[in-house]
Amino acid sequence: MAERRRRCGGWSAALVLVFLLMMAKAQAATPQDFTRFLDTGGVIRIGLVDGVDSLKVQTTGRFEVVAAESSVLGEVSGERSLELSIVRESGARPQVAVHRLQVQAAREQVKAEQTARELQAEFEYPVHVVFAEPWYKVQVGDFATRQEAAVAQEHMRQKGYTDTWFTTHQRAAKGAAQLVVRGMEGLPTGLTELHLRPRNGHSRFLVNGRPYRGELRLFVNSQLKLAAVNALPLNQYLYGVVAAEMGNAGAQRLEALKAQAVAARSYALNHLGDYQEKGFDLLSTVMSQAYYGSERETDAIRYAVDSTEGEVLVFGGEIIGAPFHSNAGGHTAFPEEVWEGTIPYLRGTQEVDPVSRQTLDAEYNTYEWEVTYTENQLRQILQAQGAEGESIDAEISARGPSGRVTEMALTIGGSVRVARKDKIRQVLSWNGKILPSTKFVLDKKYRNGRLVTLTLRGWGSGHGLGLSQAGAMALADRGWSYRQILTRYYCYARVIDLERYRSYAREENRLASVGLMKEKWDGWVFAEGLTDTVTQIAYSPDGARLAWVQPSQGIWLWHQGKPSHIVSAFVTEIEWISPTRLVYAAQSDAGAEAVEVDLETGSKSALGKGRAIHALSYSPGQEMLYAQKDGMVQVYLFRQRVWLPLLTDASYPSISPDGGHLAFIRQGKVWIYDTRTGQSVGITGDVPATGPVTWDPQGLYLAVQGDETVTVYDVSNYREVYSAKGDTFAWSASGRYLGYVRSAGPLGNADVFVVTPGQWYEFNLTHTDGAGEKLLAWHPSDRMVALYSEALELLSEGEGSPPTPVLWQVRLSTGAGE
C-alpha cells in the first residue's frame, strides 16, 4: 500500500476535495469542439507565424494552390521559392503595440474618469480609461518606444505624479490589406488568403528554414499582417511534437516515446481552439508544445505515434491537458506550487522507482544548474517592474511540498516586490532566458552591507507538472510500459481510445441539452492517514460548509479553505438543521445518542438516547426532527425539547418539504403519512423497498431505494415514473436533477448518473474509470457535486492493496446563473 501511494503523489490514503480555484487553462476544449474536429477530418491547425509584414516560403514536391473559397488557382512543383508580403490600402494601419504609463487602477468608473480629466488638463499626451474587469485603468500616452515613455514618465514625476508604471497596449488595426506573392504566376489580385495543399506525402514546405508536412494556409489576419498556419492530420503533427520534445530518447526508449506521444495527443485535443480568434488551434512554440515540423522525425518516433494512434488520457469523461516538462529535479510538482489551482490527476511524486525503491539516475532526474545575478542586474529586473531604490535584497518566503519556491520577496529601497509560484521564473528571467525551475536555494554575497551577487543553485528544468521526460526515459530503461509511465505521472487518468471518448463526448452533449455541463474538476490534498471509509457527505443549507462522516473518526468539516475535525465519537449519520447547526447520531457500547452541534460556538446539546437512532430527517418550518428510533418512527420537537413516538414498525422516515407528509417504509412497502389527518397511503412497487426514502425539493416525487434499484414515484397518483439499477441517490437543491450511483464501464467501476425529472433522461456525469463512486451530494446552488469514491489500483504492481478513498468535487454549469 505504501509503495502504491508513493507512485501517485506521496499521499497516504488521502482525502481530496475539489475546491473552486483557477486552473492554468480557464476552459478546456468542449465536447462540441472535439466533435467538430472529427467532423472536419481530424485536421489540427498550428500557428507558425502570426503578425509579420513579409515571409519567405520554399516548397519541395507538388502543391495545389487554392483560394480561401476552395477554388483551385494552379499548382507549384519542384523546388520553388515564394516571397509573400502585405500591401495595405491607403489610410490603413496595422495593429501595433504602443507604450503607456499607467497612473491609476480604480474600481469606480467615476473616479477613473475624474483622474483622466485632471491629467488631460495638465499634459498634452493622450489619456485613456481602459476597463479590464474589475478595474478602470487610467493610462497616459501612445508612445512608439519605451524610451519615449520614460521621458514622459520623468516629466510627470516632476509634476508630482511619482507613482506611474509602464504598460503596453495593442492599438487596433484600421482599413484593409491584401496578399502579394512573388515567385508564382497567374494569381488574381485582391487575395486575402491562399492555401498550398500537398499532392502527395513526400511534399514539404519550408518556413524559417524548417520543413513541414501538410497544408500551408497564408492569410491577412485581424492585425492587417501576415499569418502562416500549418494544417495537417493529428498524427503527422505529433511526429513533429515528439521529435521536438523528446527526440533525444532514441529507439531504445520506445516506451518513453509512446508515453510522450499519448501525453502530447491529449494536450493537443484538450487545447483545440486555444487561438480560434487567430485562425488556428495551437502555437508551434513551447507556449503550447514545441513543434519543429518534420526535420527531426525518426522511424522510432513515427512508430511511437502510430502504435498509440487515437489513445488519449481521460479523467472524469474529459481529455486532460496532460502537461509535461523536461526534468523534475528529483520530485515532480504539485499543481498548487505552480498555478492558482489544483488538479486531481496531477500530484507531485518523488522520482523513485516504486518497484526497486531506487532513486532514478542523476543523469535523468537531478539536472543541476546555477544562475548568478549582479546587483546591477537585479536592479534592472526590479526597475522593469516599476520599483526604484538603492539597497537590494532577496528572500525565499515560502516553499511547496516538493521543495519548489512558491513565494519570493525582492526588496529595493523600501519597496517589496513579491513573485509567486511559476511566475518567479519569468520575473527572474535575464537576457531572454527564463529561470530553469523554481526548485532552488539562494547563495547571497554582501559587501559593506550591500548585496553584490545573488546566486541561485537549483535542480530540474520546466514547471515540474505531469510527465517528467527525463523520468520517463529512466523508467523505460527499467522496463516500464508506456501505460505504467503515464499512470505514474497522471494519477487517476486513464488511457482510452478516441472512439470510446467519442461516446463520452456524445454523453456530454446530451447533458448540455438539458442545461448541465461540467466546467472543471480540481483537487486539493487536505488530510492524511484516512483509516476508515466515508459513509455520508452533505453540504450545509447555504453551501458554505461540507461535512463528511467517517464512523470511527467522527465528523470532518471543510470550511473557508481548510478541514477541521469537529466530532470524534463513532458517528452513524448527520442532518443539517441550519447553515451553522447540525444533528448527528452516535453509537457506542452503551447505546445510541442524538446530539446537536453549534458550529459557531462549538457547543453540543444532547437530544436524547436510545438503543439505535437512524434516518434523520429535519423539517425546518416545523422545527421537528424525525428519526428511526428504537424500532419505530419518532419525532423530536425542538421547541419542547422532547421526543414523541409516531409510527410503530416503521423505518426510514422522510418528511416532505412542506412538512405535511411523512414517507416511511414498513415491511418492504412505501407509505405516505399525512401529518395533518393521520391517514396513511401505501405504495406498492415491483421491487421491495429497503430504504432510504427521499422527497424531491418540490414535493412532487419520492425516490426509494430497493434492492440495488432506485425507483421514483409521482406522489400525485402514487405511480412509478422511473426505475434504474443503482443506489445512494440524491436530489439537487432545485429538484431539476436526481443523481445516483451505478456500475458502469469495462473496468467495473461505479459512476454517477444524472436523471432529469419529468423527462427522465439519464446521463453519465463522471466517467471516472480510475475510481468507483460510492456517495454524492449536491451543492445548494446546483453548480457543484461532491463525490466520494474508492480509487482502483493505479498500477499492476501491488495487487491486493486496498483502494484509496477519495472525496472529489466537480463544478457544474446548469444554465441557471451564478
Side-chain angles (χ1 to χ4, degrees):
M1 182 66 170
E3 284 307 308
R4 190 171 61 87
R5 295 186 197 122
R6 194 174 296 121
R7 288 196 295 272
C8 193
W11 64 63
S12 175
L15 280 172
V16 179
L17 174 67
V18 179
F19 197 61
L20 297 182
L21 298 170
M22 290 293 291
M23 293 175 67
K25 185 174 184 294
Q27 184 67 48
T30 66
Q32 293 90 335
D33 294 330
F34 172 75
T35 302
R36 283 193 294 270
F37 170 76
L38 291 184
D39 290 345
T40 55
V43 170
I44 195 164
R45 303 163 301 163
I46 311 302
L48 304 180
V49 175
D50 184 43
V52 298
D53 288 328
S54 61
L55 181 68
K56 290 185 178 180
V57 176
Q58 296 171 286
T59 63
T60 61
R62 296 177 59 196
F63 286 85
E64 190 175 58
V65 183
V66 182
E69 64 276 11
S70 296
S71 57
V72 178
L73 302 178
E75 184 178 291
V76 294
S77 59
E79 296 186 0
R80 300 285 293 272
S81 181
L82 310 176
E83 296 184 8
L84 297 100
S85 58
I86 293 288
V87 176
R88 300 180 188 94
E89 66 179 15
S90 178
R93 72 177 186 210
Q95 177 177 305
V96 294
V98 293
H99 298 269
R100 292 178 175 177
L101 297 170
Q102 188 157 309
V103 180
Q104 184 186 72
R107 287 185 179 271
E108 299 81 22
Q109 183 177 1
V110 173
K111 182 179 179 180
E113 290 175 345
Q114 176 61 32
T115 302
R117 285 192 293 269
E118 293 171 359
L119 289 165
Q120 196 65 80
E122 193 164 0
F123 300 101
E124 295 181 355
Y125 313 122
V127 181
H128 314 270
V129 176
V130 178
F131 179 63
E133 190 175 2
W135 302 104
Y136 292 89
K137 300 179 179 181
V138 182
Q139 300 174 350
V140 173
D142 280 318
F143 305 106
T145 66
R146 186 182 176 90
Q147 288 72 24
E148 291 178 18
V151 171
Q153 186 182 47
E154 180 59 30
H155 183 201
M156 293 181 69
R157 182 181 289 116
Q158 293 173 2
K159 293 284 188 176
Y161 292 91
T162 58
D163 191 15
T164 64
W165 59 95
F166 295 103
T167 186
T168 58
H169 177 77
Q170 296 295 329
R171 189 169 62 181
K174 177 183 176 182
Q178 61 182 352
L179 284 175
V180 172
V181 184
R182 294 181 178 86
M184 189 183 305
E185 304 296 331
L187 294 179
T189 59
L191 285 174
T192 60
E193 187 168 350
L194 194 68
H195 297 182
L196 300 180
R197 293 178 179 169
R199 297 296 299 271
N200 55 56
H202 303 293
S203 299
R204 300 284 188 275
F205 66 85
L206 284 79
V207 172
N208 294 328
R210 283 181 174 151
Y212 293 90
R213 295 171 176 268
E215 178 178 319
L216 176 63
R217 299 177 181 177
L218 303 152
F219 56 90
V220 179
N221 65 15
S222 60
Q223 305 169 22
L224 295 190
K225 293 193 174 186
L226 178 61
V229 173
N230 183 197
L232 72 171
L234 181 59
N235 269 17
Q236 293 184 17
Y237 162 65
L238 293 175
Y239 297 158
V241 172
V242 176
E245 292 283 1
M246 203 191 275
N248 60 327
Q252 70 276 20
R253 295 172 181 144
L254 185 61
E255 295 303 303
L257 292 173
K258 289 180 181 179
Q260 177 67 78
V262 175
R265 183 181 293 111
S266 302
Y267 181 95
L269 292 177
N270 176 272
H271 288 259
L272 282 175
D274 269 9
Y275 300 90
Q276 182 64 39
E277 73 284 355
K278 292 178 174 287
F280 50 88
D281 295 303
L282 301 170
L283 292 168
S284 60
T285 68
V286 292
M287 292 299 290
S288 294
Q289 47 189 0
Y291 168 61
Y292 301 152
S294 61
E295 68 176 359
R296 299 184 184 180
E297 286 182 18
T298 65
D299 290 341
I301 288 169
R302 286 188 287 270
Y303 179 80
V305 173
D306 292 343
S307 63
T308 62
E309 182 172 4
E311 292 185 353
V312 290
L313 286 156
V314 170
F315 175 83
E318 299 173 352
I319 298 175
I320 69 171
F324 48 84
H325 61 283
S326 175
N327 191 296
H331 200 298
T332 62
F334 290 83
E336 52 267 39
E337 296 177 293
V338 180
W339 295 330
E340 291 304 317
T342 55
I343 306 171
Y345 54 80
L346 291 178
R347 306 308 305 164
T349 181
Q350 189 175 357
E351 289 286 66
V352 173
D353 183 343
V355 178
S356 66
R357 303 190 182 187
Q358 295 178 353
T359 301
L360 300 183
D361 295 340
E363 67 177 284
Y364 295 124
N365 80 304
T366 53
Y367 167 74
E368 297 182 19
W369 52 267
E370 184 176 299
V371 177
T372 298
Y373 303 89
T374 66
E375 179 185 13
N376 185 53
Q377 288 171 338
L378 284 174
R379 181 172 284 106
Q380 291 182 53
I381 287 171
L382 287 163
Q383 286 174 343
Q385 300 176 64
E388 297 285 349
E390 286 300 317
S391 61
I392 294 175
D393 207 348
E395 295 289 343
I396 292 171
S397 45
R399 289 186 184 273
S402 76
R404 285 168 172 77
V405 177
T406 56
E407 187 173 283
M408 186 171 181
L410 298 170
T411 305
I412 182 167
S415 177
V416 179
R417 291 290 188 267
V418 178
R420 294 181 175 86
K421 305 188 178 185
D422 208 51
K423 289 183 180 179
I424 295 170
R425 298 171 64 207
Q426 282 80 34
V427 169
L428 293 176
S429 60
W430 185 253
N431 287 336
K433 293 183 179 180
I434 192 171
L435 198 67
S437 78
T438 56
K439 192 171 186 183
F440 58 81
V441 295
L442 300 183
D443 183 2
K444 298 187 288 186
K445 292 185 178 180
Y446 294 88
R447 183 179 300 128
N448 298 325
R450 294 173 63 98
L451 179 68
V452 291
T453 61
L454 174 69
T455 299
L456 276 61
R457 293 189 172 88
W459 301 266
S461 178
H463 49 59
L465 290 170
L467 181 139
S468 162
Q469 293 166 332
M473 287 189 281
L475 292 172
D477 286 347
R478 283 163 168 73
W480 282 50
S481 72
Y482 74 97
R483 286 176 175 259
Q484 290 174 314
I485 294 171
L486 290 168
T487 301
R488 173 185 175 83
Y489 290 111
Y490 304 105
C491 294
Y492 298 109
R494 282 295 179 270
V495 177
I496 68 172
D497 62 76
L498 284 178
E499 279 306 307
R500 184 175 171 200
Y501 177 72
R502 189 198 291 260
S503 69
Y504 290 0
R506 284 196 294 265
E507 195 84 1
E508 298 284 323
N509 289 333
R510 292 178 64 210
L511 272 168
S513 70
V514 297
L516 188 66
M517 291 184 66
K518 286 180 287 187
E519 289 186 359
K520 58 187 175 185
W521 294 69
D522 206 351
W524 195 352
V525 175
F526 62 84
E528 297 280 338
L530 176 63
T531 58
D532 194 10
T533 188
V534 173
T535 57
Q536 186 181 357
I537 50 178
Y539 285 102
S540 60
D542 63 353
R545 294 170 171 85
L546 177 67
W548 67 96
V549 176
Q550 297 168 230
S552 65
Q553 295 187 15
I555 304 172
W556 288 80
L557 193 73
W558 180 271
H559 180 52
Q560 295 182 341
K562 60 182 180 180
S564 59
H565 192 196
I566 62 171
V567 174
S568 59
F570 193 98
V571 175
T572 55
E573 61 184 279
I574 61 174
E575 175 77 355
W576 286 96
I577 59 176
S578 82
T580 58
R581 295 160 59 216
L582 60 81
V583 173
Y584 68 87
Q587 190 73 38
S588 68
D589 293 340
E593 182 179 20
V595 181
E596 178 187 348
V597 180
D598 188 318
L599 300 175
E600 291 186 329
T601 65
S603 63
K604 298 179 183 179
S605 302
L607 304 186
K609 297 183 178 181
R611 295 188 306 276
I613 300 175
H614 303 288
L616 306 177
S617 179
Y618 181 66
S619 176
Q622 300 172 318
E623 294 187 50
M624 296 180 180
L625 178 70
Y626 295 84
Q628 178 183 338
K629 184 173 182 287
D630 296 340
M632 67 177 68
V633 171
Q634 299 192 36
V635 58
Y636 182 80
L637 310 180
F638 276 86
R639 295 172 186 172
Q640 290 79 19
R641 311 294 290 185
V642 63
W643 284 95
L644 295 178
L646 190 62
L647 298 165
T648 61
D649 191 26
S651 61
Y652 292 102
S654 178
I655 190 67
S656 64
D658 63 2
H661 295 82
L662 182 70
F664 62 94
I665 295 175
R666 179 181 285 156
Q667 297 178 352
K669 184 176 179 179
V670 180
W671 291 80
I672 298 179
Y673 171 80
D674 191 318
T675 60
R676 300 176 183 89
T677 66
Q679 295 182 335
S680 298
V681 176
I683 302 176
T684 302
D686 294 334
V687 178
T690 59
V693 178
T694 305
W695 294 85
D696 85 292
Q698 306 302 321
L700 303 176
Y701 303 105
L702 197 63
V704 180
Q705 181 68 60
D707 184 16
E708 297 184 354
T709 301
V710 176
T711 303
V712 181
Y713 297 94
D714 185 330
V715 296
S716 65
N717 53 24
Y718 308 116
R719 295 183 60 184
E720 178 184 315
V721 291
Y722 177 77
S723 182
K725 283 288 185 183
D727 52 32
T728 59
F729 54 82
W731 295 96
S732 69
S734 68
R736 294 177 63 189
Y737 310 106
L738 171 67
Y740 68 93
V741 175
R742 185 170 89 192
S743 294
L747 296 178
N749 59 297
D751 282 328
V752 171
F753 281 72
V754 172
V755 182
T756 55
Q759 301 165 310
W760 307 111
Y761 299 148
E762 61 179 26
F763 312 92
N764 188 325
L765 179 68
T766 55
H767 292 292
T768 44
D769 288 348
E773 277 69 57
K774 300 294 183 183
L775 300 170
L776 74 151
W778 289 86
H779 188 272
S781 67
D782 280 11
R783 293 181 59 83
M784 287 178 283
V785 178
L787 310 170
Y788 171 73
S789 68
E790 292 183 353
L792 303 180
E793 286 298 321
L794 301 175
L795 293 174
S796 60
E797 293 85 10
E799 291 181 0
S801 300
T804 302
V806 183
L807 188 64
W808 308 107
Q809 186 170 272
V810 58
R811 182 172 180 172
L812 307 171
S813 172
T814 63
E818 293 290 342

